[in-house]
Structure formats: C-alpha cells, structure tokens
Amino acid sequence: MTDASALSSRAADPPVPEPVESQAERLRRRRDFLRDLAEAKELRARVQPRRTRLARIRDAVRRSTYRAC
C-alpha cells in the first residue's frame, strides 16, 4: 500500500465520537473551576488591597444609587 492510498483510507474512516462526559464529571470540573476562581480573587485582594478597596467603594456607590430610586 502506498502512502497516498493509506492517507485516503484513513480519511474515509468515520470520525470517532468523543465520549459524553457524565453529569458528575461536569459538576466536578465546575466545582474545581469555581474553587480556583475564588482562590484567585482572594489572592488578588491580598496583593492589591488598594484596588480592592476602591472596587468595594465603587460597588457600594453603585448599589446605593439603585436604592434611592
């Protein structure tokens, strides 16, 4: 068999379907992602306290404007 015929026979093979992940696996990956995200936010708050404080103040002002309506 030549290289060209080997390539054409491989191209004719049907695509292999990817395995469907289970609900438990999806929830585990989501839990891990959310945990990592929370850790990153905590680290940012420790490393940049001034920026965090300003963000907290801006958020409080934004909330207060909606309460006044």
Side-chain angles (χ1 to χ4, degrees):
M1 184 162 30
T2 64
D3 291 334
S5 63
L7 290 175
S8 65
S9 67
R10 257 187 262 148
D13 291 340
V16 178
E18 295 195 21
V20 178
E21 69 178 341
S22 68
Q23 182 76 2
E25 176 67 18
R26 188 184 72 78
L27 290 175
R28 185 191 64 76
R29 286 190 320 115
R30 181 176 186 272
R31 182 193 67 221
D32 292 346
F33 170 76
L34 292 175
R35 184 185 64 231
D36 291 345
L37 182 63
E39 287 177 10
K41 286 181 179 181
E42 289 172 10
L43 177 63
R44 182 179 296 152
R46 280 196 314 267
V47 172
Q48 301 173 339
R50 181 171 175 258
R51 185 177 291 180
T52 303
R53 192 182 95 236
L54 291 174
R56 194 170 42 242
I57 291 169
R58 276 190 226 105
D59 192 41
V61 169
R62 190 179 310 120
R63 282 194 309 261
S64 71
T65 59
Y66 286 112
R67 288 185 194 147
C69 295

